[in-house]
Amino acid sequence: MAVGGPGARSADGATLLALFVLAQFVIPARLVLRGLPMSLTVADIVALLLLLLWLLAQFTTTLGVAKGRNPVRTGIFTYGMVMLTCYGFAVLAYLPSDELNLADHSLVLLVGAVGLMLATCDGVRAPERLDLVLKTVVVAGAIVSVVASLQYLLNIDLTTHMVIPGLRHTSVTDTTAVMSRADLRRVAGTLGHPIELGVVCAMIIPFGAHFAFQARSRGEPALRWWLCTVLIAAGLMFSVSRSAVLGLAAIGCVLFVGWPVRRWLVTLAALVAFLGAVKVAAPGLLGTFFSLFANAASDDSILYRTHDYPFAMLEAAKHPIFGRGAGTWYAYKHQVFDNQYLLSLVETGVVGAVAFVAVILCGLVVALRARALSADENVRNLALTIAACLLVPLVGAATFDLLSYPGVTALMFLLIGAAGAMLRMARDGVTGGGGVGDAGGRVSRA
């Protein structure tokens, strides 16, 4: 998929991944393709196409796609086989037609996720191509946040005017892009829910800061990346999401340990200035965030999240090993578990829940390994950023049903694949001018 070999400037796997990112985040989440027996978005189709192209590329030696062992690649295959086994056990037993259809839908989405991770891990062969993918993520996050800002500040929802030929509004959900909390709007941008917007923004903000710091260290224009970072941070605030703040705090704990003192001092100063601007532009918003944590012990949303733990464990005990089937426990029929760990135990059993945690930890450890192998400061910072952002799904899975949100899920799998690509480049000594690695530099080998 990297036509022309590593470092090629023509269309390659990174180009297709950039198109996937735009399709996932810029096209409203509620728009799905017409004429299909199940609800699939444009991003879902692109992810399936990525898997097909990856499979075809494995039969050639001229397209530049990486082959051979990689920890992320092994983790992807293991996760896929575990989830396929859970699906097999679910359909062996009787399932009502609605739950069977949802199990089939979840399997298709799983195949797309595997394709996304493999395409990122094996199809991105040069640092500047990985930069292209992650910069597209930052720009897409800024676009989503602009839509969210208009929803929050002006009550203008651009997604209602985004009519694309061949697409229709899904009937799976009737939620709107604008909700409320403590008399304030909660917005989703182009995504499906405010929680999803907040957590996605939390995972993208560090990449905007990374590219801004990287540009500054090279004497290149950094303003565009700072602007994107500020817009994405605004999107996080306008989501009014507790999960987003927890995720961003987890990221900060890792980055402040790995960053030089000067960088985190600049970041803290920027944070203070940003919060001051939010205080002026959106009165009451900071107070609402404070109350979300100060009144956590009596917050109805937290009480709702915790009161169903005993019931969830009773359900999980009915199918403890492989679960009742991914996607079969859904809101309109069953009690909602705002906890992905509990939902995974119910739907995919202990095996599936362990596989979910393991594939994230695999990406996190691989990113740290790539950082250890590199002598280039920008590469080390990017690897640390990926590792930090992969903490967000581990934290967020305890506060909401993460895998039910396609934006968060796609970004998580993309970053896991990116960690594998970085490790492969580090071991192969691949560098690139103007990209993640310095021109003329050399990434140390294992």
Side-chain angles (χ1 to χ4, degrees), residues 208-266:
H210 166 78
F211 289 121
F213 283 122
Q214 176 179 276
R216 182 181 179 185
S217 68
R218 294 177 177 174
E220 300 170 356
L223 180 59
R224 71 191 71 172
W225 301 115
W226 285 122
L227 177 60
C228 287
T229 304
V230 170
L231 289 173
I232 297 166
L236 184 151
M237 296 298 294
F238 296 151
S239 71
V240 197
S241 169
R242 185 188 291 109
S243 298
V245 176
L246 292 174
L248 195 60
I251 292 173
C253 290
V254 175
L255 292 183
F256 283 171
V257 171
W259 276 356
V261 174
R262 181 178 179 181
R263 178 171 288 196
W264 60 256
L265 286 176
V266 171

Side-chain angles (χ1 to χ4, degrees), residues 183-443:
D183 297 325
L184 293 176
R185 296 189 187 101
R186 298 185 68 196
V187 297
T190 59
L191 300 177
H193 194 278
I195 292 178
E196 184 176 21
L197 170 67
V199 175
V200 165
C201 287
M203 295 176 70
I204 298 178
I205 287 173
F207 291 103
H210 166 78
F211 289 121
F213 283 122
Q214 176 179 276
R216 182 181 179 185
S217 68
R218 294 177 177 174
E220 300 170 356
L223 180 59
R224 71 191 71 172
W225 301 115
W226 285 122
L227 177 60
C228 287
T229 304
V230 170
L231 289 173
I232 297 166
L236 184 151
M237 296 298 294
F238 296 151
S239 71
V240 197
S241 169
R242 185 188 291 109
S243 298
V245 176
L246 292 174
L248 195 60
I251 292 173
C253 290
V254 175
L255 292 183
F256 283 171
V257 171
W259 276 356
V261 174
R262 181 178 179 181
R263 178 171 288 196
W264 60 256
L265 286 176
V266 171
T267 302
L268 287 176
L271 176 62
V272 172
F274 173 77
L275 292 179
V278 170
K279 180 71 173 179
V280 174
L285 184 55
L286 292 182
T288 298
F289 270 100
F290 177 78
S291 65
L292 289 179
F293 293 92
N295 302 323
S298 58
D299 191 286
D300 290 340
S301 64
I302 292 182
L303 295 176
Y304 181 80
R305 281 174 165 84
T306 56
H307 87 283
D308 53 7
Y309 285 6
F311 178 71
M313 299 310 297
L314 288 175
E315 286 297 323
K318 296 178 181 178
H319 309 277
I321 307 301
F322 296 107
R324 72 195 311 276
T328 60
W329 190 271
Y330 65 101
Y332 295 99
K333 185 175 182 179
H334 302 288
Q335 181 174 341
V336 176
F337 300 137
D338 283 316
N339 184 311
Q340 185 58 51
Y341 296 119
L342 293 180
L343 185 59
S344 291
L345 281 174
V346 172
E347 291 191 334
T348 58
V350 174
V351 174
V354 170
F356 165 70
V357 175
V359 74
I360 300 175
L361 290 177
C362 175
L364 192 155
V365 172
V366 167
L368 293 177
R369 177 59 176 162
R371 182 175 189 265
L373 292 175
S374 177
D376 183 279
E377 196 60 30
N378 285 323
V379 174
R380 290 171 56 81
N381 286 331
L382 180 58
L384 182 67
T385 300
I386 292 175
C389 290
L390 285 175
L391 280 178
V392 177
L394 292 175
V395 173
T399 60
F400 69 105
D401 46 333
L402 183 143
L403 293 180
S404 300
Y405 295 84
V408 180
T409 304
L411 186 55
M412 177 187 77
F413 288 145
L414 179 70
L415 294 182
I416 295 172
M422 289 199 72
L423 180 62
R424 195 185 295 279
M425 286 184 278
R427 286 177 170 175
D428 293 343
V430 178
T431 59
V436 177
D438 287 335
R442 196 72 177 168
V443 181

